[in-house]
Amino acid sequence: MSLTAGIVGLPNVGKSTLFNAITKQHILAANYPFATIEPNVGMVNVPDKRVDFLEKLYNPKKTIYATFEFTDIAGLVEGASKGEGLGNKFLSHIREVDAICEVVRCFDNGNITHVNGNIDPVRDVDIINLELVFADLEFVENRLGKVGKKSRLSNDKEAMKEASLLEKIKEALLNNKAIRTLELTEEERKILKPFNFLTIKPIIYVANVDENEIATDNDYVKQLKEYAKKENSSVVVISAKIEEELSELTEEEKLEFLKDMGIEESGLDRLVKASYKLLGLSTYLTAGTDEVRAWTYKQGMKAPECAGIIHTDFEKGFIKAEIMSFEDLEKYGSELKARENGKMRLEGKDYVMQDGDICHFRFNV
């Protein structure tokens, strides 16, 4: 299951530095606008202590963590929806991602140019969010011109439903409200899905701070958190510079570095986990001497669908899923003891997979 988060923001806020740290790729991170033109894509492992535990328990030939894709998208400027800067190209790249990680500069540094001359996180976020609203509004108005006419002339019920919903969306956008802030039914979401609206995508704000301010919220971060709270979005505070330094260290050196700074986990680990959560993703596990592996699935998926993530034949010929929870395996220390204590169970086609389930699928094709 391939899902991707787009890293967006104004020019020179630390997007490419952050992307380098996440993916350990050495792309150009320069002190001028539009150093990134075409989007850079990188895969990262989702940190998971359960996988670490299973690796020690089974000593497998290979261990595979769940992965998440990040895309570094060119910096946006005011007027992008009208073609300013890299405008249309920027917006088309955002349409391709599942979630948005919006990097916001929350530090002062006279040596790093700010495209608007001074630091103001709320203004910067408003610039980007307004451009996304304008782009969606233009699409809605164009679509309404077509579907509205169809609903009036043919009395098409489906067209009437869509037109009514688009009018509701248009009103929200005219009031500078992102589509994601609206209460939408499942049916309405289904109608909107093919349009790939920009403001319907879930968002995380990434406050990029100076390395000396990572442990405490500065005034810029406080302003950003207040803004995010109004739309029920979350803020992850990181120092892209620190994260880039951490990316060059071994795991042991990284843990020591974080300990010295009084931080439990890196900002990148928190960002990856937050992105995972934002998209409603969970992990089930398979474990054995050949392979320990984490598999990504959408919360609410049933056992056969999850089996199909491994191979379509697993879903087609699904019989049962043999399952134990990670907590039970950790508690009893071995698969045998968990089984002896009645913690291994068989689940059928209607079983809704739970995060941390350790599975063995029975199927017949």
Side-chain angles (χ1 to χ4, degrees):
M1 179 174 285
S2 179
L3 289 142
T4 182
I7 301 175
V8 306
L10 295 174
N12 298 343
V13 295
K15 298 186 317 303
S16 294
T17 302
L18 175 61
F19 180 83
N20 284 338
I22 290 174
T23 61
K24 300 184 181 178
Q25 295 184 29
H26 298 287
I27 61 169
L28 177 62
N31 181 24
Y32 55 84
F34 312 123
T36 301
I37 298 177
E38 291 301 322
N40 301 291
V41 180
M43 298 293 292
V44 296
N45 286 336
V46 178
D48 198 329
K49 291 180 180 178
R50 298 171 300 188
V51 176
D52 301 336
F53 177 90
L54 292 174
E55 184 178 36
K56 289 176 183 176
L57 184 65
Y58 287 93
N59 193 26
K61 293 173 185 173
K62 60 180 176 179
T63 301
I64 303 173
Y65 290 80
T67 57
F68 197 85
E69 189 175 282
F70 279 93
T71 303
D72 179 34
I73 299 171
L76 172 142
V77 293
E78 195 168 358
S81 59
K82 302 298 180 187
E84 291 295 324
L86 294 172
N88 295 329
K89 182 175 278 195
F90 170 92
L91 296 169
S92 70
H93 292 153
I94 298 179
R95 290 193 193 282
E96 301 305 313
V97 303
D98 300 293
I100 297 172
C101 293
E102 189 170 323
V103 182
V104 185
R105 181 169 164 180
C106 292
F107 66 90
D108 293 301
N109 187 328
N111 295 320
I112 301 177
T113 307
H114 190 289
V115 71
N116 290 318
N118 67 312
I119 312 302
D120 185 339
V122 171
R123 176 206 58 204
D124 293 353
V125 166
D126 270 337
I127 287 172
I128 288 184
N129 291 356
L130 271 172
E131 293 304 324
L132 302 185
V133 164
F134 291 153
D136 278 352
L137 184 58
E138 183 179 8
F139 180 90
V140 167
E141 289 175 338
N142 289 338
R143 180 70 186 173
L144 268 172
K146 297 174 185 176
V147 77
K149 186 177 180 181
K150 182 181 178 181
S151 67
R152 289 191 301 273
L153 294 177
S154 64
N155 204 25
D156 184 314
K157 288 185 179 180
E158 293 305 312
M160 289 170 71
K161 272 186 195 176
E162 184 184 322
S164 175
L165 176 57
L166 289 175
E167 288 289 356
K168 173 181 170 181
I169 298 296
K170 180 180 176 180
E171 184 182 354
L173 293 170
L174 285 171
N175 285 291
N176 192 22
K177 286 185 180 178
I179 300 171
R180 65 178 169 273
T181 64
L182 303 179
E183 288 187 16
L184 299 170
T185 66
E186 279 304 309
E187 184 184 13
E188 287 175 330
R189 289 187 179 278
K190 198 174 286 186
I191 293 170
L192 296 178
K193 190 174 181 181
F195 305 138
N196 220 1
F197 284 116
L198 299 171
T199 65
I200 203 170
K201 296 180 187 296
I203 192 166
I204 293 175
Y205 295 106
V206 182
N208 186 17
V209 301
D210 186 83
E211 56 190 310
N212 298 318
E213 297 180 313
I214 191 64
T216 55
D217 288 354
N218 63 29
D219 287 342
Y220 297 138
V221 173
K222 289 174 183 174
Q223 291 169 33
L224 182 60
K225 284 187 173 179
E226 196 61 36
Y227 181 101
K229 188 178 178 182
K230 291 174 185 175
E231 60 171 47
N232 203 27
S233 295
S234 59
V235 175
V236 175
V237 180
I238 67 156
S239 166
K241 188 175 180 181
I242 287 177
E243 300 301 331
E244 194 166 38
E245 289 174 13
L246 283 171
S247 70
E248 303 295 329
L249 303 179
T250 65
E251 194 59 31
E252 286 184 4
E253 289 170 336
K254 177 181 167 182
L255 291 172
E256 190 62 34
F257 186 95
L258 292 172
K259 186 179 177 182
D260 289 344
M261 296 197 71
I263 305 169
E264 289 187 10
E265 61 180 346
S266 73
L268 293 184
D269 284 353
R270 286 185 283 109
L271 177 58
V272 172
K273 287 178 181 177
S275 300
Y276 217 63
K277 183 178 178 182
L278 185 69
L279 287 168
L281 303 177
S282 287
T283 302
Y284 76 84
L285 307 151
T286 54
T289 53
D290 283 337
E291 178 185 274
V292 163
R293 183 164 183 164
W295 301 87
T296 302
Y297 71 95
K298 278 273 191 183
Q299 290 168 12
M301 286 176 69
K302 294 182 178 179
E305 295 175 279
C306 288
I309 293 169
I310 298 176
H311 197 287
T312 52
D313 284 349
F314 283 28
E315 182 173 5
K316 288 175 186 173
F318 180 88
I319 300 171
K320 292 283 183 182
E322 195 174 75
I323 293 175
M324 62 177 162
S325 71
F326 173 79
E327 289 74 16
D328 286 334
L329 179 62
E330 186 179 37
K331 177 182 176 181
Y332 291 105
S334 76
E335 195 173 312
L336 178 62
K337 287 183 179 177
R339 192 184 293 271
E340 287 173 349
N341 282 274
K343 298 302 180 182
M344 185 76 75
R345 62 190 192 277
L346 286 176
E347 299 289 357
K349 292 182 179 181
D350 292 329
Y351 176 72
V352 177
M353 196 67 74
Q354 300 299 306
D355 185 57
D357 278 348
I358 301 170
C359 308
H360 174 73
F361 296 106
R362 297 181 183 179
F363 70 101
N364 182 32
V365 178

